[in-house]
Amino acid sequence: MFDAGGRIIGRATSGYYGHCLRKSLAIGYARAEFAQAGTQLDIEILGERKQATVLRESPYDPDNLDLRA
């Protein structure tokens, strides 16, 4: 993970695509000052940087409104 200045601020430990959410998701560790919900940062995936947003809670569909067949 990188801050706006391109400095390394953390590391993703896993990632996947959430089909129900239609978003790529990652779990990782970031320095405390960058771990607040809503913080914008970059994450490198297979050598390509993508924008990311820190979430407070794990995203999910509690009412099963977006199930796949």
Side-chain angles (χ1 to χ4, degrees), residues 43-50:
I43 189 166
E44 192 170 300
I45 303 169
L46 299 172
E48 186 176 335
R49 287 198 186 176
K50 303 282 187 176

Side-chain angles (χ1 to χ4, degrees), residues 41-67:
L41 47 87
D42 288 339
I43 189 166
E44 192 170 300
I45 303 169
L46 299 172
E48 186 176 335
R49 287 198 186 176
K50 303 282 187 176
Q51 289 185 336
T53 304
V54 175
L55 302 176
R56 176 174 163 72
E57 297 288 329
S58 177
Y60 70 110
D61 180 18
D63 298 319
N64 293 321
L65 298 176
D66 202 13
L67 293 175

Side-chain angles (χ1 to χ4, degrees), residues 13-24:
T13 58
S14 62
Y16 57 95
Y17 184 79
H19 292 278
C20 290
L21 299 168
R22 296 184 185 93
K23 294 182 181 191
S24 293

Side-chain angles (χ1 to χ4, degrees), residues 24-37:
S24 293
L25 302 165
I27 297 171
Y29 297 93
R31 292 192 342 223
E33 61 266 29
F34 297 97
Q36 302 300 324

